[in-house]
Amino acid sequence: MPTSGKPIEKLRAKHSKTFQKLFDNLNTLQKKAVNTLEGPVMVLAGPGTGKTQVLAMRIAKILQETDTAPHNILALTFTESASKAMRERLLTIIGEEAYYVQITTFHSFCSDVIQSNPEYFPFSRQAEPLSDLERFTVLESIIESQPFQAIKPINSPLFYIKDCIRAIQDLKREGVSPDSLRVLIDDDAAAINTEELSDTDRHQKERNIEKQRELLQVYLLYQQALIKRGRYDYEDMIFFVSEMFRKHVELLRIYQERIQFVLIDEYQDTNAAQNAVAELLVSYWGEHANIFVVGDADQSLYRFQGASIENSLAFLERYPKANVISLEQNYRSTQSILDAAHNLISRNTLTNDRVVTRTGKKVRLKPLISQEKKYGVAIRVAEFSSDPTETIFIAEEVSALIHSGVKPSEIAILYRTNADSAAIEDALVKWGIKYEIDGGVDVLETPIIQQFLSLCSVVHRLRSKQEDLELFTVLNYPWSRIDPLDILRASREAATKRIGLYDVVSDDTAYNLSLKKPEELRAFVNRLAEWLHADAELTFPQWFEKVLNESGLLQYVLESPVSMEHMNRLQSLFREVKLMAAGNHNLKLADFLESVERMREHGIAVREEDMNVHVDAVKLTTAHSAKGLEWQHVFIARAVDGKWGNVRVRNLIPLPEGLLKQVRVEEKEQNEDERRLFYVSLTRAKQTVTVTYAKTAISGNRSRQHMHSMFIEELPKKYQEQFDSDEFEKKSESLLRRLLQQPTHPEPTIDEQEWIQGLLRDFVLTPTALNTFLECPYKFKLNSLVKVPRAKQDYLSFGTAIHRALELLFRWIMQYDVVPEKEKVIGWFEEALRKEVMSVQQEEARLNQGRKVLSIYYDQYKDEMKKQLFLEKFFGYGGSHIYLDDIRIGGRIDKIQWMDPKKKTVAVIDYKTGQPRSKNDIEGKTATSTGDYKRQLLFYKLLADLDQTFGMRVAEGVF
């Protein structure tokens, strides 16, 4: 791949001193990784070895030494947080040019490919990914409708449904289509006859193949169901991009010409589908491709079946002359922590040592070398009689660290599963310790959402007059703002007269209750009846918004000291509601409540969206989510056998053995995956690690005995200090009362300003958002930042459908060089509108309106219709960002067409489905105009001018 030429002078002049200073501070191996620009490079980077700095410095080096433009570099990461960290690091090195480097996740990159080239992909821009509940429902229907034997037990036909879900997700991540799966199954079936097997092993393998063949049928039917619904899986995005790159060389060439260097972070965890995308992007240059991967097999947590060295070995096979650089200097932990962790991970068979051996080089047997040079005890182990005592100890120790001057943000408590956090959260609240939780709680289990669901249930139960107990509960919620004594009087009257509470309250004058504020109580229950009636008339998202506003719950949330957490959880639930409604336009209250019950029954969570807030608070997180992070002091909680090590993993539908090409999974010891997780947890710490466990724990209504984790035994004793818990056990008796008491009121863990700042970090200012802000800053805050639940209005749905029809019209012209028939265009509109969530009356009215306006538009402009330069062109999204000073901006232009190709001037066209505007009104020259329209066109021009990849000048804007 050519890289020679004139470097970017601006970058060299302005930032060369900064770069040189940082480069001088790198160690010898880091410098080698940064300087090796040509050809394939693999860097083995253990924990704390500065891989983010190496990646950022290498990008800067490419820009400094070659004629490569920033947008010609693609850096692929595993998570959004890793992308952000790399871009921020690069900003400190090269300044604003960092905004234009494509630093993005695999999913975001593939999403951008799909959005920019919709004609290649089997779903529209408006398509939504399938929700967890929809996935379960689709597969449930498939299994129930088919005469399966191996995966459909007679007494429990849905017994294997979760295993089918997991297997299909794994297959898509590994880039295995149904056709490819069939080949793998046939190969395994043929191999049985050539292997020497016991009768038991032969029977088990034959049984597995029966399951795999039925899984194949499920997979085929599932894909058909997705196409029929116009939906896709989250995993499909990457899978489809790799497939389209293979099938359409012209599409692949577009990206190969744009991308001259590819860098991949956390390479050990990338799956086969992700690897396929990267390989295809550099395939034109074969063994000499400029591809740079950074990984560490010892920290592999997400690779399929824990095949930690699969990627590294495959990379070396593909690029036999690749440079392999192993970073050995650690800049995070003490030497004792590193030595202890190394002793632990050395028990694994699939490690970095296997990778280095494959290169023919000397195996690195020693642990990483700490810059700190600190020795002494690395890990404190604390055993307690019960898990409440363990929890109290953690709270006391964290409190002591904070009082000694340690910043709360330098302390982390790691646990194995999200369920382990509840008791620790409760203790930290009662100890007055500010904390930040990561990993996403299930919002269905949070108090504010349970209150809203109770309200929904009360409305639903009015039909059968079974609402009494729940109605009493709902009336007592603080957001109802009803006098508690009035509720008690009404309840007592209902009990005395043996009639329903609703009947008493709705006709309180008949019972002479002497209520303090009867009108408030009566008004609230009357609204219940109104909401029940509205359920029949409104779409469910509209109903959700109506009840949220009229009940007083939204106002209560906005005024609450923990408004940010509450609002985020309402948003997360509303996101799920919109997905449900998209799959079932006739969704009603009863369907919603039934869906929630099914989710709880099958353990399907509604995960809280990441609030993206970084505050000075103790971090609570699962060990998986802790990867890539670091703290001064780390607590590893609930370190018992069966939770950390010897975890029961029931792989009831094993996938074909040929799925992995480089690694035989049976070679690994059964706890290798869990051992890597413990290793990652240990190496998050800079100074101290405290591992805690309890000998007994309450599970349900009984006490269970626990053994400590096997990994504690695997840590050499010279690196351990046993905490003397006897004195603390006595002290904890008095502290137990503090743990059991109820908090008087919720304490805010996140300041509103901090939350807003977190929202703004990743906020993209669009023309609509700018106009909203200029109209009313508070409206901007609620609608554009906080995103208070709002149902999509029917006029917006109408606009979406019109846009879709016109996009397909001009795509047809671009593809076939002929204007399609009017009936086809109207048909596209009708199809798009029916995908929108609207009431029957709204849909019929908008269908008639759309047929009329499209017919007029078509007749008037048919002779002027021609090929366009771009349709639905995105600016400022994907890996390359657009900034105006420090404000990130973006937008989507409906249509761009040439004005003068020689001068490279274009016109931007935007469709409007509202009332016609005069030119003076558009330009803001009338008394009633706001100037929003002209501002929108100027915004589009600004986007085009600032986008380094566009290369054309906007000379005209048209509505």
Side-chain angles (χ1 to χ4, degrees):
M1 187 185 298
T3 58
S4 61
K6 186 179 179 182
I8 299 173
E9 296 297 339
K10 180 182 175 184
L11 179 66
R12 173 175 286 180
K14 190 173 180 181
H15 300 287
S16 59
K17 288 183 179 178
T18 302
F19 174 84
Q20 193 59 47
K21 183 178 179 181
L22 292 169
F23 183 81
D24 290 342
N25 288 331
L26 298 178
N27 63 48
T28 303
L29 292 170
Q30 287 176 327
K31 287 177 180 176
K32 182 179 179 183
V34 170
N35 281 330
T36 310
L37 300 185
E38 300 286 347
V41 180
M42 182 168 69
V43 176
L44 300 176
T49 53
K51 67 181 178 66
T52 302
Q53 185 74 350
V54 166
L55 284 160
M57 290 291 288
R58 190 171 192 274
I59 292 170
K61 185 74 170 180
I62 292 168
L63 294 173
Q64 192 176 61
E65 296 292 330
T66 77
D67 64 347
T68 307
H71 59 264
N72 295 138
I73 299 171
L74 175 65
L76 294 165
T77 66
F78 208 70
T79 63
E80 293 289 352
S81 59
S83 294
K84 188 176 177 183
M86 195 186 304
R87 193 181 300 280
E88 288 174 347
R89 190 73 60 89
L90 191 58
L91 270 168
T92 65
I93 302 170
I94 66 172
E96 64 185 29
E97 294 291 341
Y99 290 130
Y100 299 98
V101 178
Q102 293 190 71
I103 304 175
T104 183
T105 63
F106 280 92
H107 273 101
S108 293
F109 173 76
C110 290
S111 176
D112 187 58
V113 173
I114 293 167
Q115 294 284 350
S116 301
N117 307 277
E119 63 272 20
Y120 290 98
F121 297 93
F123 45 82
S124 72
R125 279 200 178 99
Q126 288 73 38
E128 293 279 355
L130 209 67
S131 70
D132 290 341
L133 177 61
E134 285 180 296
R135 183 183 294 110
F136 189 94
T137 303
V138 169
L139 285 169
E140 180 182 51
S141 174
I142 290 169
I143 291 172
E144 287 179 340
S145 67
Q146 298 298 314
F148 295 132
Q149 299 291 324
I151 63 170
K152 189 178 179 181
I154 294 176
N155 296 327
S156 183
L158 298 179
F159 182 79
Y160 285 96
I161 190 167
K162 289 186 178 179
D163 300 278
C164 287
I165 291 171
R166 191 179 307 112
I168 290 172
Q169 288 176 324
D170 282 338
L171 288 167
K172 289 186 176 185
R173 290 175 188 137
E174 294 305 307
V176 179
S177 66
D179 288 342
S180 300
L181 177 59
R182 181 181 286 107
V183 172
L184 289 171
I185 295 170
D186 290 344
D187 288 347
D188 276 9
I192 291 178
N193 298 323
T194 64
E195 295 176 347
E196 292 185 9
L197 300 170
S198 67
D199 290 343
T200 302
D201 287 344
R202 182 179 298 277
H203 175 75
Q204 185 61 52
K205 288 202 170 191
E206 289 172 347
R207 180 66 174 163
N208 287 343
I209 286 173
E210 288 176 28
K211 291 180 180 179
Q212 290 165 9
R213 293 199 187 282
E214 292 187 356
L215 172 67
L216 171 60
Q217 295 307 308
V218 173
Y219 191 2
L220 284 164
L221 293 169
Y222 177 67
Q223 291 303 96
Q224 292 170 13
L226 289 184
I227 293 170
K228 186 176 180 181
R229 286 174 172 242
R231 309 298 283 277
Y232 62 91
D233 268 340
Y234 187 67
E235 292 79 15
D236 281 332
M237 295 173 69
I238 296 173
F239 183 68
F240 280 145
V241 168
S242 64
E243 286 293 293
M244 292 306 110
F245 276 171
R246 287 191 183 97
K247 290 180 180 177
H248 301 281
V249 177
E250 71 280 4
L251 176 64
L252 178 59
R253 289 287 183 265
I254 291 171
Y255 286 88
Q256 287 180 333
E257 288 174 10
R258 288 182 193 170
I259 298 166
Q260 297 176 21
F261 287 86
V262 173
L263 301 90
I264 305 176
D265 190 16
E266 300 288 3
Y267 186 64
Q268 76 282 350
D269 281 328
T270 55
N271 55 49
Q274 292 168 330
N275 271 323
V277 170
E279 289 164 19
L280 286 162
L281 286 172
V282 300
S283 59
Y284 184 83
W285 294 273
E287 291 185 8
H288 305 290
N290 288 339
I291 182 169
F292 181 91
V293 302
V294 180
D296 177 18
D298 294 339
Q299 295 185 81
S300 177
L301 302 184
Y302 298 101
R303 191 64 173 92
F304 171 68
Q305 292 189 350
S308 56
I309 63 173
E310 173 79 6
N311 292 346
S312 300
L313 297 181
F315 186 88
L316 294 173
E317 184 174 278
R318 196 174 309 111
Y319 307 109
K321 295 181 180 179
N323 271 287
V324 179
I325 302 166
S326 180
L327 304 183
E328 299 179 350
Q329 183 77 54
N330 176 282
Y331 296 90
R332 178 187 299 157
S333 307
T334 65
Q335 191 64 53
S336 296
I337 291 175
L338 296 177
D339 288 348
H342 177 75
N343 274 273
L344 176 84
I345 202 64
S346 295
R347 294 174 179 263
N348 277 8
T349 58
L350 304 181
T351 67
N352 282 328
D353 291 345
R354 284 273 301 275
V355 178
V356 180
T357 303
R358 180 74 166 264
T359 69
K361 300 179 181 180
K362 184 179 179 181
V363 177
R364 186 188 73 206
L365 297 175
K366 60 183 178 180
L368 297 170
I369 303 166
S370 172
Q371 188 185 41
E372 292 291 320
K373 301 297 182 185
K374 279 188 179 179
Y375 285 87
V377 173
I379 299 152
R380 183 170 54 155
V381 178
E383 175 191 87
F384 301 98
S385 60
S386 65
D387 50 2
T389 311
E390 178 190 358
T391 302
I392 291 169
F393 170 78
I394 292 171
E396 284 283 286
E397 288 294 295
V398 169
S399 180
L401 283 170
I402 294 171
H403 282 100
S404 72
V406 176
K407 294 177 66 176
S409 57
E410 287 292 349
I411 304 169
I413 303 168
L414 312 185
Y415 36 82
R416 187 63 184 81
T417 65
N418 283 313
D420 294 326
S421 73
I424 298 171
E425 289 181 68
D426 185 50
L428 295 183
V429 168
K430 290 166 184 175
W431 263 250
I433 298 170
K434 200 172 184 179
Y435 70 88
E436 178 186 14
I437 190 164
D438 198 9
V441 300
D442 180 2
V443 301
L444 296 178
E445 302 303 321
T446 60
I448 197 68
I449 298 303
Q450 289 178 340
Q451 290 179 25
F452 181 74
L453 294 176
S454 293
L455 175 60
C456 292
S457 181
V458 165
V459 174
H460 177 61
R461 287 170 177 266
L462 284 180
R463 291 184 173 90
S464 55
K465 294 190 175 182
Q466 297 177 340
E467 79 292 332
D468 266 21
L469 182 58
E470 270 193 305
L471 176 58
F472 177 80
T473 303
V474 167
L475 291 173
N476 277 284
Y477 288 143
W479 42 265
S480 72
R481 292 178 168 85
I482 297 172
D483 187 272
L485 188 57
D486 283 354
I487 301 170
L488 285 173
R489 284 172 175 161
S491 299
R492 186 170 181 178
E493 183 70 13
T496 302
K497 297 287 174 45
R498 295 186 178 182
I499 57 177
L501 176 59
Y502 176 83
D503 295 330
V504 169
V505 173
S506 59
D507 193 16
D508 61 285
T509 55
Y511 296 99
N512 194 26
L513 295 177
S514 301
L515 300 180
K516 185 177 179 182
K517 295 181 179 179
E519 65 284 349
E520 292 185 3
L521 184 55
R522 193 184 315 119
F524 189 88
V525 296
N526 286 341
R527 281 197 295 272
L528 296 176
E530 291 172 11
W531 296 332
L532 180 62
H533 179 70
D535 179 42
E537 296 184 335
L538 302 176
T539 66
F540 192 71
Q542 290 171 340
W543 187 90
F544 186 105
E545 180 188 344
K546 179 181 177 69
V547 173
L548 187 62
N549 279 277
E550 294 180 358
S551 63
L553 178 56
L554 180 60
Q555 190 61 35
Y556 168 79
V557 164
L558 291 172
E559 295 171 354
S560 167
V562 288
S563 62
M564 287 66 64
E565 289 95 329
H566 287 344
M567 183 58 69
N568 197 51
R569 287 163 185 174
L570 283 170
Q571 289 171 1
S572 300
L573 178 63
F574 190 59
R575 177 196 63 204
E576 191 71 24
V577 163
K578 288 189 289 185
L579 285 173
M580 290 180 186
N584 174 16
H585 291 191
N586 296 317
L587 183 76
K588 295 298 177 185
L589 177 59
D591 306 310
F592 169 68
L593 291 171
E594 182 184 349
S595 294
V596 169
E597 190 57 39
R598 282 164 62 82
M599 294 175 81
R600 285 174 167 161
E601 179 185 351
H602 297 293
I604 301 171
V606 177
R607 290 294 171 202
E608 182 178 16
E609 293 183 4
D610 184 7
M611 295 185 71
N612 194 26
V613 177
H614 304 288
V615 297
D616 190 18
V618 175
K619 173 71 90 173
L620 270 65
T621 179
T622 63
H624 278 92
S625 296
K627 187 177 177 182
L629 304 175
E630 62 182 23
W631 299 273
Q632 293 288 340
H633 306 279
V634 169
F635 292 81
I636 301 176
R638 313 293 194 244
V640 295
D641 190 54
K643 196 180 288 283
W644 292 87
N646 290 322
V647 177
R648 289 186 180 181
V649 179
R650 295 182 176 89
N651 189 15
L652 299 182
I653 307 182
L655 295 179
E657 294 177 5
L659 209 58
L660 298 175
K661 303 294 188 293
Q662 302 293 330
V663 176
R664 294 184 64 84
V665 176
E666 63 270 19
E667 292 178 6
K668 69 175 186 176
E669 190 264 333
Q670 68 175 29
N671 278 295
E672 289 203 10
D673 300 346
E674 291 293 315
R675 189 175 287 109
R676 281 197 299 274
L677 188 62
F678 201 78
Y679 172 81
V680 166
S681 300
L682 290 174
T683 54
R684 300 310 92 198
K686 298 177 183 178
Q687 292 185 18
T688 69
V689 179
T690 302
V691 183
T692 67
Y693 66 93
K695 291 186 289 186
T696 62
I698 303 297
S699 179
N701 295 319
R702 60 194 182 94
S703 175
R704 293 185 59 184
Q705 299 294 315
H706 282 300
M707 279 286 294
H708 59 267
S709 167
M710 62 184 291
F711 303 134
I712 296 175
E713 289 296 317
E714 291 180 358
L715 294 171
K717 297 301 179 186
K718 65 179 179 178
Y719 299 120
Q720 292 188 37
E721 175 187 66
Q722 295 296 323
F723 175 73
D724 185 358
S725 59
D726 291 342
E727 282 297 315
F728 188 83
E729 292 275 357
K730 296 174 186 175
K731 177 184 173 183
S732 69
E733 292 177 10
S734 62
L735 293 170
L736 187 60
R737 287 191 295 273
R738 183 177 179 184
L739 184 67
L740 296 176
Q741 70 185 9
Q742 291 293 327
T744 54
H745 57 81
E747 290 290 335
T749 58
I750 298 172
D751 179 73
E752 180 175 338
Q753 186 176 356
E754 293 168 343
W755 186 42
I756 296 298
Q757 287 175 346
L759 295 173
L760 286 170
R761 285 190 194 103
D762 294 325
F763 181 73
V764 181
L765 184 68
T766 64
T768 301
L770 176 60
N771 286 332
T772 302
F773 177 80
L774 293 172
E775 176 192 350
C776 175
Y778 186 67
K779 182 180 178 182
F780 168 81
K781 173 186 170 183
L782 292 185
N783 292 355
S784 301
L785 284 180
V786 175
K787 294 183 180 175
V788 170
R790 295 271 189 264
K792 189 174 182 179
Q793 298 299 309
D794 66 308
Y795 72 88
L796 293 174
S797 296
F798 173 73
T800 299
I802 290 288
H803 276 72
R804 179 61 176 162
L806 294 177
E807 178 191 354
L808 292 174
L809 186 162
F810 285 101
R811 287 206 183 282
W812 184 280
I813 295 171
M814 292 173 74
Q815 185 171 358
Y816 300 109
D817 201 20
V818 64
V819 178
E821 296 297 320
K822 183 197 296 186
E823 290 71 23
K824 184 176 284 292
V825 178
I826 292 174
W828 288 329
F829 160 74
E830 291 172 345
E831 181 184 2
L833 190 72
R834 289 192 172 104
K835 290 180 180 179
E836 296 292 315
V837 180
M838 309 171 74
S839 69
V840 174
Q841 297 84 352
Q842 289 171 334
E843 183 179 293
E844 188 59 35
R846 294 297 182 179
L847 279 171
N848 291 332
Q849 180 189 9
R851 291 168 185 143
K852 179 180 177 181
V853 300
L854 274 174
S855 180
I856 296 170
Y857 175 88
Y858 184 93
D859 291 341
Q860 183 167 341
Y861 290 106
K862 179 182 177 183
D863 294 337
E864 300 175 30
M865 292 176 183
K866 58 185 179 181
K867 289 185 178 182
Q868 304 297 305
L869 184 58
F870 293 107
L871 294 172
E872 302 289 325
K873 171 68 175 173
F874 281 85
F875 286 89
Y877 294 93
S880 182
H881 299 170
I882 299 175
Y883 279 81
L884 179 64
D885 293 330
D886 61 345
I887 302 170
R888 185 179 169 192
I889 61 176
R892 183 175 70 184
I893 299 176
D894 295 336
K895 194 165 65 171
I896 300 176
Q897 63 187 28
W898 281 116
M899 289 186 67
D900 188 335
K902 291 182 179 179
K903 294 181 180 179
K904 291 191 173 181
T905 57
V906 296
V908 299
I909 295 93
D910 188 83
Y911 301 122
K912 295 295 181 189
T913 52
Q915 293 298 317
R917 302 289 183 95
S918 68
K919 184 176 181 181
N920 285 338
D921 195 29
I922 289 172
E923 292 188 342
K925 294 179 180 179
T926 64
T928 57
S929 65
T930 59
D932 287 2
Y933 276 23
K934 184 173 182 180
R935 189 180 301 112
Q936 181 177 350
L937 291 180
L938 290 172
F939 199 107
Y940 288 156
K941 177 172 173 53
L942 185 65
L943 285 171
D945 289 346
L946 292 176
D947 188 341
Q948 295 184 354
T949 68
F950 189 57
M952 283 154 270
R953 183 172 63 86
V954 174
E956 186 178 271
V958 180
F959 285 117

